[in-house]
Amino acid sequence: MVLTYPHLFLASLECNRLHVVMKPIEGFGVAKVVDSGDPNFRPGDIVSGFTGWEEYSLIINTKDLRKIQQDDIPLSYHLGLLGMPGFTAYAGFYEVCSPKEGDHVFVSAASGAVGQIVGQLAKLRGCYVVGSAGTKEKVELLKNRLGFDDAFNYKEEKNLEGALKRYFPEGIDIYFENVGGSMLDAVLLNMRIHGRIAVCGMVSQHSYHDEEGIHNLFALITKRLRMQGFLQSDYLHLFPQFVEQVGAFYRQGKIVYIEDMSEGLESAPAALAGLFTGKNVGKQVVRVSRD
Amino acid sequence: MVLTYPHLFLASLECNRLHVVMKPIEGFGVAKVVDSGDPNFRPGDIVSGFTGWEEYSLIINTKDLRKIQQDDIPLSYHLGLLGMPGFTAYAGFYEVCSPKEGDHVFVSAASGAVGQIVGQLAKLRGCYVVGSAGTKEKVELLKNRLGFDDAFNYKEEKNLEGALKRYFPEGIDIYFENVGGSMLDAVLLNMRIHGRIAVCGMVSQHSYHDEEGIHNLFALITKRLRMQGFLQSDYLHLFPQFVEQVGAFYRQGKIVYIEDMSEGLESAPAALAGLFTGKNVGKQVVRVSRD
């Protein structure tokens, strides 16, 4: 049992939606231990893990709490760049996409918590990288701050298949799939032979049943594609290696991270709602306390 | 250039449909060489490869012709068990499905040219195997002659998801996909964590665009599935090993093969049409000559 005082609090929507009726809303947070009955944690320790939407949390299940070494990396980054989203990008890109130098990589929801890291890891691997996002501001971010080779606003494209053909005249080797639906159908038509599609954890919870349906799966055969779903939790043995490598990229200035921080617990509901309208830019976090 | 006298002739529909307007209908056949300008082939040699729907064929492109050693294996089996369908089953099962002893395997179109071999290879690998087919006769074949653990007629099932749950109460590890559509959607809901779906070459040409769409791809994520399309032509380096292994299985009585042979070139159009109504049982071949 650990009592934590949250520094920062992530509006971790997928989980919250499921839990909202059952118990106080949970989210992934970074917090300071105030008191502890678990010998692995002492007052003053900084931890990340599932905390409540509250100023103080009583954590019964301490086995999933992770201790954080405070250094030059902003604490909130342990919810994004060095947290679950970063690790999702890391595991998905390196373990599922089988990337090679020169591969043509497409990332949807590319300015999001996961997508922005996938794109940067792909650039560091020597790939050509294009991302899609839903606002002009996000597209500018992708091109000017996140180092993508190119980016486009999918809402401005009447013909997604044609748009992808413009950005990938020779086809796509790797698609990091965050959205499903008509984008996936358009991508299938633009994949290259022996391409890989990594299907990221986000989609499942936002759109449980795809009403429109996916129509172009025949491309899996004609182009001999591999489409693979994954969850970061299957790769936890790689977490220490991930923190070391991505932490080093950050310290060397090779990777940046964009987060959208709202202030105060009272801002959490609006931050949560903003995720569904695409209002946030980058990883959405809520600062509960500055202590 | 080789002039062949066909012994047997396969109604290889997918190709024929594409070529019918362009030139004389082609199909995969076994034939005897009558005369040859290619030093690799001599009169009397038995070969398999693309031949015409005709009694004598002039083969200009001889590089894809394969010489057959005549032995105790029926010549027509080089169009099925030891031909492209058998090799499709072999490459798909061993190279794409990552089979393990005890895996639960589901095969659709299971009595077809490819499916019947997949099921038997899976049994030889120590798997639990269930197949689906479209007539009572085919279901009986699967259970009584082809050694499947169980089989069902998909046309008699109102609820495919429920049917699969009956045959796979613990879920499916491997799905060998031959049909697409609502069967694929039902399978996705019944897959086990870390399951594999091998998407076989047949689907692409029968249903280029899936009108209804596939709705349950979220299962790729929640169950961390791998769905992979393949063509046997990517694995040709394994062909000699395939002929040796599957030939040995046949000689040892460990594998059987069911074909549906119609007599005479004039029977070819009806045999072709029968494939689309599910009339044929097993691999459809047309015997052009008994010489």
Side-chain angles (χ1 to χ4, degrees):
Chain A
M1 189 180 92
V2 174
L3 191 63
T4 61
Y5 180 61
H7 273 251
L8 287 154
F9 188 86
L10 163 71
S12 177
L13 315 196
E14 296 77 33
C15 299
N16 299 334
R17 282 201 299 163
L18 297 175
H19 291 157
V20 71
V21 189
M22 312 287 290
K23 53 179 180 172
I25 299 181
E26 279 193 346
F28 204 80
V30 169
K32 186 192 281 180
V33 177
V34 175
D35 196 6
S36 170
D38 181 327
N40 294 313
F41 298 97
R42 291 165 40 177
D45 281 352
I46 306 292
V47 295
S48 67
F50 278 99
T51 58
W53 283 40
E54 55 200 0
E55 292 188 317
Y56 291 86
S57 297
L58 180 68
I59 311 235
I60 306 291
N61 178 5
T62 55
K63 79 172 172 42
D64 293 332
L65 280 184
R66 192 170 275 138
K67 224 184 283 191
I68 290 173
Q69 299 307 325
Q70 258 189 297
D71 54 15
D72 49 342
I73 293 181
L75 270 186
S76 62
Y77 279 25
H78 290 277
L79 302 177
L81 182 66
L82 294 180
M84 207 153 43
F87 188 52
T88 299
Y90 182 88
F93 183 66
Y94 291 119
E95 300 300 311
V96 181
C97 293
S98 309
K100 293 187 309 295
E101 195 179 330
D103 273 349
H104 293 199
V105 176
F106 177 54
V107 185
S108 56
S111 70
V114 176
Q116 60 174 295
I117 303 177
V118 173
Q120 292 180 88
L121 293 180
K123 282 306 299 172
L124 288 168
R125 186 71 183 79
C127 301
Y128 167 78
V129 186
V130 177
S132 66
T135 68
K136 197 179 161 189
E137 182 189 7
K138 291 176 184 178
V139 167
E140 289 307 311
L141 264 183
L142 290 170
K143 292 199 278 192
N144 301 328
R145 281 202 53 203
L146 292 164
F148 282 56
D149 291 295
D150 220 325
F152 66 92
N153 182 347
Y154 70 89
K155 290 180 180 164
E156 285 177 359
E157 300 290 344
K158 284 196 185 114
N159 174 355
L160 287 175
E161 185 192 344
L164 288 168
K165 222 173 277 305
R166 239 175 27 240
Y167 291 100
F168 296 97
E170 294 164 43
I172 300 167
D173 296 294
I174 291 174
Y175 173 43
F176 200 93
E177 156 68 304
N178 283 309
V179 299
S182 56
M183 182 66 92
L184 175 56
D185 255 343
V187 167
L188 281 163
L189 298 177
N190 279 283
M191 289 297 288
R192 239 180 190 171
I193 284 173
H194 294 139
R196 288 83 67 197
I197 299 177
V199 190
C200 180
M202 301 301 158
V203 192
S204 68
Q205 292 145 331
H206 285 299
S207 58
Y208 193 73
H209 180 91
D210 191 321
E211 288 299 336
E212 260 190 49
I214 299 298
H215 302 271
N216 296 331
L217 287 179
F218 68 89
L220 292 181
I221 306 167
T222 53
K223 297 171 182 173
R224 296 90 98 189
L225 307 177
R226 169 161 58 82
M227 189 167 173
Q228 190 166 347
F230 72 99
L231 292 177
Q232 50 87 28
S233 49
D234 281 342
Y235 300 91
L236 288 177
H237 57 287
L238 300 176
F239 200 89
Q241 164 187 327
F242 149 71
V243 171
E244 191 182 288
Q245 283 183 18
V246 174
F249 283 150
Y250 176 75
R251 286 186 197 93
Q252 293 159 12
K254 290 182 179 168
I255 205 166
V256 299
Y257 197 61
I258 293 171
E259 55 184 16
D260 194 332
M261 193 179 287
S262 72
E263 291 286 337
L265 194 52
E266 65 282 6
S267 73
L272 173 62
L275 282 196
F276 294 98
T277 56
K279 196 167 156 261
N280 67 307
V281 177
K283 171 68 179 171
Q284 179 69 60
V285 292
V286 176
R287 190 200 300 267
V288 177
S289 157
R290 288 182 172 272
D291 181 28
Chain B
M1 193 181 93
V2 175
L3 191 64
T4 62
Y5 179 61
H7 274 251
L8 287 153
F9 188 86
L10 163 71
S12 177
L13 315 199
E14 296 76 36
C15 299
N16 299 335
R17 282 202 299 166
L18 296 176
H19 291 158
V20 72
V21 189
M22 312 286 289
K23 52 177 179 170
I25 300 180
E26 278 194 347
F28 205 79
V30 170
K32 186 192 282 180
V33 176
V34 175
D35 195 4
S36 169
D38 181 328
N40 294 314
F41 299 97
R42 290 166 41 175
D45 282 352
I46 306 292
V47 296
S48 68
F50 280 100
T51 57
W53 284 39
E54 54 201 359
E55 292 190 314
Y56 292 84
S57 298
L58 180 69
I59 309 220
I60 306 291
N61 178 6
T62 55
K63 77 173 172 41
D64 293 331
L65 279 185
R66 193 171 275 138
K67 225 184 283 191
I68 291 173
Q69 299 307 326
Q70 257 189 297
D71 54 13
D72 49 342
I73 294 181
L75 270 186
S76 63
Y77 279 25
H78 290 276
L79 302 176
L81 181 66
L82 295 181
M84 207 153 45
F87 188 52
T88 300
Y90 182 88
F93 183 65
Y94 291 118
E95 301 299 311
V96 181
C97 292
S98 308
K100 292 187 309 292
E101 196 180 329
D103 273 350
H104 293 199
V105 177
F106 176 55
V107 185
S108 55
S111 70
V114 176
Q116 57 174 297
I117 305 178
V118 173
Q120 293 181 87
L121 293 179
K123 282 306 300 172
L124 288 168
R125 186 73 184 79
C127 302
Y128 167 78
V129 186
V130 176
S132 67
T135 68
K136 198 180 160 190
E137 182 190 8
K138 291 176 183 177
V139 167
E140 289 307 311
L141 264 182
L142 291 170
K143 292 200 278 192
N144 301 330
R145 283 202 52 204
L146 293 164
F148 282 57
D149 291 295
D150 221 327
F152 65 92
N153 182 347
Y154 70 90
K155 289 179 181 165
E156 284 176 359
E157 300 290 344
K158 284 196 185 114
N159 175 354
L160 287 174
E161 185 192 343
L164 288 168
K165 225 174 273 309
R166 242 177 24 241
Y167 292 100
F168 296 97
E170 294 165 42
I172 300 167
D173 296 294
I174 291 174
Y175 173 43
F176 200 94
E177 156 68 304
N178 284 310
V179 299
S182 56
M183 182 66 93
L184 175 56
D185 256 342
V187 167
L188 282 164
L189 298 176
N190 278 283
M191 289 297 288
R192 236 181 191 171
I193 284 173
H194 294 140
R196 287 84 65 199
I197 299 177
V199 190
C200 180
M202 301 302 160
V203 193
S204 68
Q205 292 146 330
H206 285 299
S207 57
Y208 193 72
H209 181 91
D210 191 321
E211 288 300 335
E212 259 190 47
I214 300 298
H215 302 272
N216 296 331
L217 287 179
F218 68 90
L220 292 180
I221 305 165
T222 52
K223 297 173 183 171
R224 295 89 99 189
L225 307 177
R226 169 162 58 83
M227 189 167 174
Q228 191 165 346
F230 72 99
L231 293 177
Q232 49 87 27
S233 50
D234 281 343
Y235 300 92
L236 288 178
H237 58 287
L238 300 176
F239 199 89
Q241 164 187 326
F242 149 71
V243 170
E244 194 182 336
Q245 284 182 18
V246 175
F249 283 150
Y250 175 75
R251 287 188 196 92
Q252 294 159 11
K254 290 182 178 166
I255 205 165
V256 297
Y257 196 62
I258 293 171
E259 55 183 16
D260 194 332
M261 193 178 290
S262 72
E263 291 287 337
L265 195 51
E266 65 281 7
S267 73
L272 173 62
L275 283 193
F276 294 98
T277 56
K279 196 167 155 260
N280 67 307
V281 177
K283 171 66 178 172
Q284 178 70 61
V285 292
V286 176
R287 190 199 299 267
V288 177
S289 157
R290 288 183 173 272
D291 181 27

